[in-house]
């Protein structure tokens, strides 16, 4: 699929404590309404954690969870129009290593939503690693790194990528799922859903969910907006299609108190200094992420 459609980027502000973290995605978004403002993550008191352990409870339920967004896990080929969508595999491995050393543990978005509804627990420092579109480089470079730690990821699958030269193949998707990964829908063809007609909107949302079920035997319960673009009409259609949560490219932590169909993510771009990323994540338990204005820096198609 042509990458001309994937090119909106926006900054992330973290309580003025660190420099702006530029975000990269397969598209842009909408300005964050007041009801989607970032919220401070919950930090259980040490005594509470100790009581849980004494009672044999293996996890806690943080009110906010960092959801990291990636695309291609490889270096951009010559002439790549949007190299920001690529990430050096070595840099990805360093991010994962840093997370592990600081006590983070990867979980699926499905598990986070279940925990927020009282149906599961989470590790004390959960993190969700999402991969948009469905590139073969995710299987080749990201999967082995996560597999060594028995960590799952979330594949936000655009079904058309299964036929792209750079896309995953069905057996690879099945291998990811068998290893504990979540398969979420990213539509059939990655359109701007805010510009889609009602029939097209339903086709992309319901059709992708049905095809994921048919190909992989998975009931996709979570969704990711193509190009991060959505509005109230699209949200209603996502809910009507049977999804319980949806990822945006609005910057910040995914919060239990926010709209589950407008979950925030931290998009990781290729040229972002690792020191900035690590500084941001080290503050996850003690500082809120505040939403920055949406800044469109490149056309989508």
């Amino acid at each position: 699929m042509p990458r001309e459609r994937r090119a909106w980027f926006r900054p992330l502000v973290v309580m003025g404590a660190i420099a702006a973290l530029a975000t990269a995605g397969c598209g842009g978004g909408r300005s964050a309404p007041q009801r989607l403002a970032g919220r401070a993550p919950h930090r259980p008191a040490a005594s509470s954690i100790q009581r849980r352990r004494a009672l044999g409870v293996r996890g806690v339920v943080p009110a906010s969870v960092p959801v990291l967004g990636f695309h291609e896990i490889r270096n951009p080929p010559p002439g790549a129009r949007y190299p920001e969508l690529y990430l050096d595999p070595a840099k990805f491995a360093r991010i994962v290593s840093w997370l592990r050393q600081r006590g983070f543990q990867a979980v699926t978005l499905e598990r986070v939503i279940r925990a927020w509804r009282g149906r599961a627990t989470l590790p004390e420092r959960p993190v969700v690693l999402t991969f948009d579109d469905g590139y073969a480089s995710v299987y080749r470079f990201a999967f082995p790194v996560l597999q060594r730690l028995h960590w799952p990821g979330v594949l936000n699958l655009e079904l058309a990528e299964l036929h792209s030269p750079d896309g995953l193949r069905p057996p690879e998707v099945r291998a990811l799922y068998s290893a504990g990964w979540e398969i979420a829908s990213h539509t059939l063809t990655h359109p701007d859903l805010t510009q889609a007609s009602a029939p097209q909107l339903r086709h992309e949302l319901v059709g992708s969910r049905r095809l994921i079920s048919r190909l992989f035997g998975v009931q996709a319960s979570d969704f990711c907006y193509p190009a991060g673009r959505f509005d109230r009409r699209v949200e209603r259609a996502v809910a009507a299609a049977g999804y319980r949560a949806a990822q945006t490219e609005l910057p910040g932590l995914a919060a239990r108190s926010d709209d589950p169909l407008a979950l925030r993510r931290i998009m990781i771009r290729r040229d972002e200094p690792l020191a900035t990323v690590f500084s941001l994540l080290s503050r996850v338990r003690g500082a809120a992420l505040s939403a920055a204005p949406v800044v469109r820096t490149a056309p989508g198609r």
Side-chain angles (χ1 to χ4, degrees):
M1 299 297 291
R3 289 193 180 80
E4 287 80 356
R5 65 190 177 198
R6 306 175 178 120
W8 300 98
F9 309 103
R10 62 178 70 79
L12 175 64
V13 177
V14 187
M15 300 295 287
I18 61 174
L21 174 63
T23 64
C26 48
R30 62 175 184 178
S31 298
Q34 185 64 34
R35 70 186 184 91
L36 298 182
R39 299 176 189 271
H42 174 66
R43 184 178 185 178
S47 59
S48 173
I49 294 174
Q50 290 168 358
R51 285 196 299 271
R52 287 174 178 272
R53 287 174 174 164
L55 292 171
V57 178
R58 297 183 62 187
V60 295
V61 185
S64 298
V65 175
V67 180
L68 307 188
F70 303 91
H71 287 82
E72 287 261 31
I73 307 300
R74 61 170 175 145
N75 288 306
R81 187 169 182 182
Y82 301 117
E84 295 88 352
L85 298 183
Y86 296 76
L87 188 71
D88 186 337
K91 191 170 183 177
F92 175 78
R94 287 181 63 191
I95 292 172
V96 171
S97 177
W98 186 94
L99 290 168
R100 181 187 62 81
Q101 291 171 7
R102 270 68 181 181
F104 284 93
Q105 183 176 336
V107 297
T108 62
L109 182 60
E110 179 183 20
R111 181 173 170 185
V112 170
I113 300 301
R114 290 180 63 239
W116 284 348
R117 295 182 176 183
R119 300 172 185 170
T121 58
L122 292 171
E124 291 179 22
R125 302 198 78 180
V127 63
V128 180
L129 308 178
T130 67
F131 301 84
D132 289 8
D133 303 323
Y135 296 109
S137 63
V138 171
Y139 182 82
R140 183 177 179 185
F141 296 113
F143 181 43
V145 172
L146 299 182
Q147 184 75 337
R148 284 192 288 271
L149 300 177
H150 304 285
W151 279 12
V154 177
L155 176 64
N156 294 323
L157 181 61
E158 171 199 343
L159 276 301
E161 278 296 333
L162 297 175
H163 304 286
S164 168
D166 296 331
L168 289 163
R169 296 295 174 259
E172 295 169 337
V173 175
R174 294 187 188 100
L176 295 176
Y177 181 68
S178 295
W181 283 48
E182 177 182 354
I183 311 301
S185 171
H186 200 40
T187 71
L188 293 168
T189 63
H190 203 283
D192 179 351
L193 295 179
T194 65
Q195 302 300 313
S197 65
Q200 182 190 10
L201 186 57
R202 176 175 172 78
H203 176 65
E204 292 285 347
L205 298 175
V206 176
S208 61
R209 196 162 186 246
R210 286 176 177 169
L211 189 53
I212 288 173
S213 177
R214 191 173 75 197
L215 291 175
F216 309 115
V218 178
Q219 294 297 323
S221 58
D222 299 321
F223 183 75
C224 179
Y225 297 106
R229 298 185 62 82
F230 68 108
D231 55 23
R232 304 300 184 197
R233 181 181 72 101
V234 173
E235 273 197 61
R236 289 193 296 268
V238 168
Y243 299 100
R244 65 183 172 188
Q247 307 157 50
T248 72
E249 291 182 12
L250 296 172
L253 297 178
R256 178 172 54 187
S257 57
D258 285 344
D259 181 354
L261 296 178
L263 296 177
R264 298 174 180 275
R265 288 192 294 171
I266 302 168
M267 305 303 294
I268 307 298
R269 62 176 296 169
R270 176 174 172 260
D271 59 356
E272 190 66 46
L274 286 180
T276 303
V277 176
F278 296 158
S279 180
L280 167 67
L281 292 172
S282 69
R283 290 165 169 78
V284 161
R285 299 186 84 181
L289 299 181
S290 59
V294 173
V295 179
R296 297 179 178 178
T297 59
R301 278 187 186 268

